[in-house]
Structure formats: C-alpha cells, structure tokens
C-alpha cells in the first residue's frame, strides 16, 4: 500500500488501464470470468466508459447468483461513475434508471425498506426528468410492493393504482 499510494495519480490510472486492457487481450474468450477484476481495474483508470460497463456487468453477474451485497456495491459504484461523468455517459440514462431500480430491489430483499424506497424514488425521478416513461409503471409497482411489506396499505394501493393508470395507456408496460 505504501508504494502504491506513492505512485502519482496519473501513472496509477494508466497502470490500471494497461492492466485491464491486458486482461481483455489475454482472456478475450473468457472475459466473464474476469468481470470483477476488469470492473476494479477500469474503475481505477481514466476509461470511464469501460469502468461503467464493467461495473454494471459485475453487478449483474453478482445479482444473478444472489451475491446481493456485492451486486449492491457494484451497482452503487456504477451509479456514482455515471453521476460523476454525465458529459461522457449521458446516453446511458436508461441504464442509470435500471441500476437505481435494481439497488431498490436489492435493498428490499435485504430488508432495508427505507433505502429501497430512496433508490426507487431516485429511479422514478430520473425517469421523469429524462422523460423515459416506459419504466415508470414498473417503478410504481415496486414502490407499492415495498409499502405493502411495510404494512402501509394505503400507500401501497396508491402506487399500484398509479402503475395501473399509467400502464393502461402503454403497450406491455411491465416487460
């Protein structure tokens, strides 16, 4: 750690990028086995696009096998990567909404219901601000589920009603 911390920041980022690029070149046919390492290396480099890509991918792979705390960490890092680099990742708002939604679901599964509501409301806010309306009924539905678990059936009913009302004007809103 002492040696690593004494390497100049630009040099350290370049070394992480070269390491990640080497892994990609070496393990092209088996990249999925190295997703976590690629997420780490690229997120410590200046290659923001690849960092975002591999953080999302590592989160998805962790989520798939129910490593929920790990998935939560990767998704949260991907969200931070996005919000800190809006100018370079602005075409990925749908992915951001999906990440906020997934963090909400993970928090719900982990029993962190207030955190789940916070993440789901962030997804809802992003959907509305970016006018990505297709995801809104799904988010309302999930918020309804969280309120139902909390025993707040009035709010659960309110949000499921919103989901149904909006989805009635759309094609396949829960796909």
């Amino acid at each position: 750690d002492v040696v690593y911390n004494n390497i100049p920041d630009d040099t350290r980022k370049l070394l992480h990028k070269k390491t990640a690029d080497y892994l990609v070149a070496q393990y092209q046919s088996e990249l999925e086995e190295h997703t976590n390492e690629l997420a780490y290396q690229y997120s410590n480099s200046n290659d923001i696009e690849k960092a975002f890509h591999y953080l999302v991918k590592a989160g998805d792979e962790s989520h798939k096998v129910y490593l929920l705390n790990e998935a939560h960490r990767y998704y949260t890092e991907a969200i931070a990567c996005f919000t800190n680099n809006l100018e370079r990742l602005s075409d990925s708002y749908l992915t951001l909404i999906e990440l906020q939604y997934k963090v909400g679901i993970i928090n719900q599964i982990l029993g962190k219901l207030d955190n789940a509501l916070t993440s789901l409301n962030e997804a809802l806010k992003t959907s509305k601000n970016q006018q990505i309306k297709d995801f809104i009924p799904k988010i309302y539905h999930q918020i309804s589920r969280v309120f139902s678990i909390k025993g707040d059936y009035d709010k659960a009913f309110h949000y499921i009603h919103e989901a149904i009302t909006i989805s009635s004007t759309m094609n396949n809103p829960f796909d």
Side-chain angles (χ1 to χ4, degrees):
D1 276 344
V2 173
V3 173
Y4 179 81
N5 290 330
N6 284 323
I7 298 172
D9 199 40
D10 288 346
T11 303
R12 191 175 337 141
K13 287 179 187 252
L14 181 61
L15 289 172
H16 282 288
K17 167 96 168 96
K18 287 185 177 202
T19 301
D21 290 344
Y22 173 80
L23 289 171
V24 168
Q26 279 299 116
Y27 301 107
Q28 189 64 45
S29 64
E30 47 199 47
L31 280 180
E32 291 206 5
E33 296 175 23
H34 301 278
T35 302
N36 294 2
E37 182 65 23
L38 290 167
Y40 172 78
Q41 295 297 341
Y42 280 124
S43 66
N44 284 292
S45 75
N46 284 327
D47 196 332
I48 301 306
E49 292 83 1
K50 287 185 180 174
F52 184 69
H53 170 79
Y54 282 106
L55 287 167
V56 171
K57 195 169 177 76
D60 288 344
E61 288 181 13
S62 297
H63 196 188
K64 224 185 309 186
V65 294
Y66 295 99
L67 295 172
L68 299 179
N69 288 317
E70 190 172 305
H72 185 279
R73 180 174 54 84
Y74 283 122
Y75 289 151
T76 302
E77 285 181 38
I79 290 168
C81 179
F82 183 92
T83 55
N84 292 331
N85 297 284
L86 287 174
E87 70 286 347
R88 290 172 66 182
L89 297 170
S90 62
D91 61 338
S92 302
Y93 272 101
L94 181 57
T95 304
L96 175 63
I97 294 164
E98 291 170 346
L99 291 171
Q100 293 166 327
Y101 180 80
K102 289 175 184 179
V103 168
I105 289 176
I106 290 171
N107 280 322
Q108 176 190 330
I109 294 168
L110 295 174
K112 300 176 181 178
L113 301 180
D114 290 334
N115 291 348
L117 289 172
T118 298
S119 296
L120 292 167
N121 279 308
E122 287 172 4
L124 186 61
K125 180 180 174 185
T126 304
S127 293
K128 288 179 177 180
N129 287 345
Q130 296 303 313
Q131 298 183 6
I132 302 173
K133 299 183 188 320
D134 294 347
F135 221 78
I136 292 174
K138 190 173 182 175
I139 298 167
Y140 276 139
H141 179 250
Q142 196 62 38
I143 292 171
S144 172
R145 292 181 71 186
V146 174
F147 278 118
S148 180
I149 293 168
K150 290 181 81 155
D152 191 337
Y153 301 111
D154 289 338
K155 285 186 180 175
F157 178 77
H158 167 76
Y159 282 101
I160 199 66
H161 178 70
E162 287 293 319
I164 292 168
T165 301
I166 294 169
S167 66
S168 67
T169 64
M170 303 170 70
N171 293 331
N172 299 320
F174 293 100
D175 284 344

